[in-house]
């Protein structure tokens, strides 16, 4: 009997793709995974339209209007939503800008930056508008699971997905989610 | 150059006045700030040089305490007490009124450097608020006309010493006295008793009395004294905890103001019993107005042979007391943080055990007791343990001073035998319409009218003395939110469950209070509360979630009526979070907005 394959989608919001690299670090285990799940929208598939999914893995925090839209769409289409990595959990590195005003940040890059010609703060409907602060994703939608780490190791992600797929309670060893 | 050598000289004088002792660092920084209005990086470096300690240590102390300023402040520095009882009395309106009069915004120093106006935690004037501090000195019963006067005094740059005395008048409001406050105490009688009968006999009386710590935790006082007496070592200390930082408590203030002799006598008695020659009073910074009067009382006691060398003529009885002034840190009421602060450090609680009775001040055996505990001990030495134990209940002997404030006709100090019901207190203070009481302060428990027949004693409702009444017209959550903010401000930041937990709790509380919360948020608050109770290093963090957890149980309707019906709500206003960027870019296209209607479609899990 062939079980229906579970559908997983992933995305990177305000993150560095390090968490997705960690996913790729599953190496040969990716073949096992591919037999058991079907990847929907993800930077790895280049599918742009999100379908109805079982699990959504989110890397990165929320820094702009587009992030909000994408995250809400994931929440609406995925039964289970997982925050992966420090940026998704806490805002992480991008949230370091939170100690400055948005104005200061933009001026630092676009007005006072070196070698600028016609320096100005960009204003273009094509560019997602920035939120005044970077937020962890659980402040925008309900999150079901959180995997800490920067990034969480491939091992951690592997254990997590396996146990989630098998329907049992998720147990991670101390070493997999603590970094002390 | 001239200025910098003057700075050196000023600091050298102050340091020498404190005998160059690094343990007096906090006192030194207070004195330096008194002269210079704030502690500049250069100032801190000079202090470090003069004391031959690391500049980092000096900086860490300067940055820890709320009343030490590492940024410039005005010549007149005003801090409005911002406890919920001040708020009930309209302090926010007064704060804005004074800011308007003096043309300065909250938390800022006016450009001419004349004045700064901010807020601070409860200053212990809950029965005569709204209160404030000006350069550390207490102002009471503020109202618009008093503030007009104050604004004029400031604009005309009248020195504080020349301000009308009545602005600083602090009433005792003693409403009910029992055995502690009601009976006359002859100065020296407890010391005569211990000289006549010997420390062992006094210890026995203490055991018989059943006296328990009046600071709140209720540890047996005799056991504490005996443990310290038996601890090895010749050098021991007595410390009186007059930090009284629990919002809504002011009974130690009244004891120090009107019964200082009784308290000092209790400390001196303790010194004789445990074999200590040195005592400290850790007086909260907010009670600075009492510093000089208390010093005068100490001097009078020395002259009367009740303090200092050869007390009552006995050359083996030497004991003296020093007053150490705090600087605005609630956590310094915790006994081990208090000891750290006494040693001149920032006040972070120690890991216990070992307890102060064996490893206290400078790691020597130390008894730390509350003001009221020492007062009771002095009485017990004179009147006997049985006399004391004849009042109260089986597990809670004697009496308790309650600081009653909030919605009642007669706020003030009430002394009752332990075991009194809440209803009786409400009746006596004239609170006819109470819907809830915050017992023992924010760290204690909130009870609703259903529980007003409960008894005040360690077997039932334990308390350090704070009793804040909320009547029917109050919104209970105003109080809970105020307390959540209080704990964020007072967390010492040492451990993560408290440092982060108090902030998360505040954010959730703000969200719910402003009508953006859902049932999911209430569940998060409960979870977070349990983590804090289990994971925090000291009592501050462990009790910080109490107001939230109690009110969720006792006043569910206060939450229910402001909840959203949705399963989840974002923690912040998404569209408003784009406003800054809209302004900077001038954009107004559809992509520049996050409207709730567009977003919530299908956004639910
Ligand atoms: C955060 C915190 C603040 C405290 N503040 C005070 C205080 O202001 N006054 C006080 O007497 N005890 C305070 N305590 C209790 C002291 O740690 C200690 O138990 C008490 O001073 C012992 O004296 P007692 O046995 O006479 O009550 C506080 C405890 C904690 C955890
Ligand atoms: S958690 Fe670390 S690896 Fe993952 S997106 Fe953030 S910065 Fe990159
Ligand atoms: S619980 Fe709070 S106050 Fe106590 S040590 Fe931890 S951070 Fe400091
Ligand atoms: S030091 Fe960062 S969590 Fe402990």
């Amino acid at each position: 009997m062939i079980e229906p394959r579970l559908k997983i989608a992933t995305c990177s919001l305000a993150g560095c793709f390090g968490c997705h690299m960690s996913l790729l670090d599953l190496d040969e285990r990716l073949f096992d995974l591919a037999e058991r799940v079907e990847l929907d929208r993800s930077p790895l598939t280049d599918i742009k339209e999100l379908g109805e999914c079982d699990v959504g893995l989110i890397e990165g925090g929320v820094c702009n209007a587009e992030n909000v839209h994408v995250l809400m769409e994931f929440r609406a289409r995925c039964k289970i939503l997982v925050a992966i990595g420090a940026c998704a959990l806490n805002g992480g590195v991008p949230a370091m800008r939170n100690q400055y005003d948005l104005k200061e940040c933009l001026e630092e890059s676009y007005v006072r930056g070196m070698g600028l010609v016609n320096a100005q703060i960009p204003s273009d409907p094509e560019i997602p508008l920035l939120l005044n602060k970077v937020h962890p994703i659980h402040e925008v939608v309900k999150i079901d699971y959180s995997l800490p780490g920067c990034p969480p190791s491939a091992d951690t992600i592997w254990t997590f997905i396996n146990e989630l797929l098998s329907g049992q309670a998720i147990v991670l060893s101390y070493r997999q989610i603590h970094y002390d | 150059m001239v200025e910098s050598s003057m700075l050196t000289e000023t600091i050298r004088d102050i340091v020498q006045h404190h005998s160059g002792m690094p343990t007096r660092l906090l006192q030194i920084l207070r004195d330096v700030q008194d002269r210079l209005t704030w502690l500049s990086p250069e100032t801190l470096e000079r202090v470090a040089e003069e004391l031959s300690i690391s500049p980092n240590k000096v900086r860490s102390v300067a940055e820890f305490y709320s009343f030490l300023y590492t940024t410039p402040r005005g010549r007149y520095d005003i801090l409005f007490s911002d406890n919920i009882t001040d708020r009930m009395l309209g302090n926010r309106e007064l704060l804005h009124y004074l800011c308007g009069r003096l043309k300065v915004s909250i938390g800022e120093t006016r450009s001419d450097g004349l004045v700064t106006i901010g807020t601070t935690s409860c200053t212990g004037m809950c029965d005569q608020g709204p209160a404030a501090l000006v350069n550390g000195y207490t102002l009471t019963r503020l109202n618009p006309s008093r503030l007009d006067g104050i604004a004029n005094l400031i604009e005309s740059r009248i020195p504080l010493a020349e301000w009308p005395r009545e602005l600083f008048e602090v009433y005792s409001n003693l409403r009910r006295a029992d055995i502690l406050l009601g009976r006359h105490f002859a100065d020296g009688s407890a010391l005569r008793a211990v000289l006549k009968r010997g420390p062992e006999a006094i210890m026995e009386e203490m055991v018989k009395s059943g006296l328990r710590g009046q600071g709140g935790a209720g540890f047996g006082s005799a056991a504490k004294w005996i443990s310290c007496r038996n601890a090895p070592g010749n050098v021991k200390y007595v410390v009186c905890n007059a930090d009284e930082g629990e919002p809504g408590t002011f009974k130690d203030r009244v004891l120090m103001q009107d019964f200082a002799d009784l308290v000092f006598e209790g400390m001196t008695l303790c010194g004789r019993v445990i074999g200590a020659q040195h005592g400290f009073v850790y007086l909260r910074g907010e009670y600075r107005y009492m510093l000089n009067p208390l010093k005068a009382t100490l001097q009078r006691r020395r002259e009367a042979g009740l303090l200092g060398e050869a007390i009552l003529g006995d050359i083996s009885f030497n004991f003296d007391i020093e007053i150490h002034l705090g600087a605005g840190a609630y956590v310094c009421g915790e006994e081990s943080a208090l000891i750290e602060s006494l040693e001149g450090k920032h006040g972070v609680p120690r890991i216990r055990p070992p307890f102060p009775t064996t490893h206290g001040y400078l790691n020597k055996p130390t008894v730390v007791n509350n003001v009221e505990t020492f007062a009771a001990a002095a009485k017990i030495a004179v009147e006997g343990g049985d006399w004391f134990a004849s009042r109260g209940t089986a597990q809670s002997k004697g009496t308790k001073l309650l600081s009653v404030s909030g919605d009642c006709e007669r706020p003030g100090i009430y002394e009752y035998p332990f075991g009194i019901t809440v209803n009786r207190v409400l009746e006596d203070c004239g609170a006819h319409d109470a819907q809830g009481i915050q017992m023992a302060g924010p760290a204690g428990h909130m009870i609703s009218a259903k529980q007003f027949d409960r008894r005040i004693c360690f077997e039932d409702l334990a308390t350090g003395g704070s009793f804040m009444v909320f009547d029917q017209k109050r919104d209970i959550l105003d109080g809970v939110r105020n307390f959540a903010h209080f704990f964020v401000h007072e967390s010492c930041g040492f451990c993560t469950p408290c440092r982060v937990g108090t902030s998360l709790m505040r954010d959730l509380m703000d969200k719910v209070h402003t009508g953006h919360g859902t049932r999911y948020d209430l569940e998060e608050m409960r979870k977070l509360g349990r983590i804090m109770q289990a994971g925090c290093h000291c009592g501050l963090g462990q009790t910080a979630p109490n107001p939230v957890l109690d009110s969720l149980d006792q006043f569910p309707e206060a939450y229910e009526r402001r909840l959203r019906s949705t399963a989840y709500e974002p923690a912040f206003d998404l569209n408003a979070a784009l406003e800054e960027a809209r302004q900077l870019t001038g954009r107004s296209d559809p992509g520049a907005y996050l409207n709730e209607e567009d977003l919530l479609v299908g956004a639910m899990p």
Side-chain angles (χ1 to χ4, degrees), chain A residues 61-125:
Chain A
V62 180
C63 79
N64 63 30
E66 186 194 31
N67 291 162
V68 174
H69 283 292
V70 172
L71 184 57
M72 291 215 160
E73 198 185 352
F74 265 73
R75 180 66 276 180
R77 302 254 153 87
C78 303
K79 290 191 191 121
I80 293 173
L81 210 53
V82 187
I84 302 231
C87 298
L89 265 69
N90 302 315
V93 174
M96 289 173 76
R97 80 155 154 98
N98 287 359
Q99 56 183 309
Y100 304 101
D101 290 345
L102 187 57
K103 183 161 186 277
E104 291 174 278
C105 296
L106 289 173
E107 285 181 348
E108 181 66 22
S109 302
Y110 297 107
V111 180
R112 288 194 302 272
M114 279 217 293
L116 291 173
V117 180
N118 189 14
Q120 57 180 299
I121 292 174
S123 167
D124 182 336

Side-chain angles (χ1 to χ4, degrees), chain B residues 211-221 224-225 239-246 249 251-252 282 284 329-338 349 352 356 367-374 443 458 464 486-487 490 538-543:
Chain B
L211 174 64
R212 296 173 68 164
Q214 301 277 34
F219 189 80
S221 307
K224 189 182 273 187
W225 289 24
V239 175
C240 174
N241 189 343
D243 196 49
E244 191 155 69
E246 192 67 47
T249 319
K251 49 119 186 153
D252 293 340
Y282 191 98
R284 72 184 304 217
Y330 167 61
V331 73
C332 286
E334 194 282 336
E335 57 183 17
S336 66
L338 182 151
R352 303 178 314 157
V367 162
V368 183
N369 271 136
N370 175 255
V371 174
E372 189 181 346
T373 312
F374 281 119
F458 293 105
F486 165 76
F487 285 116
E490 299 299 340
C538 85
L540 189 151
Q542 289 158 7
T543 57

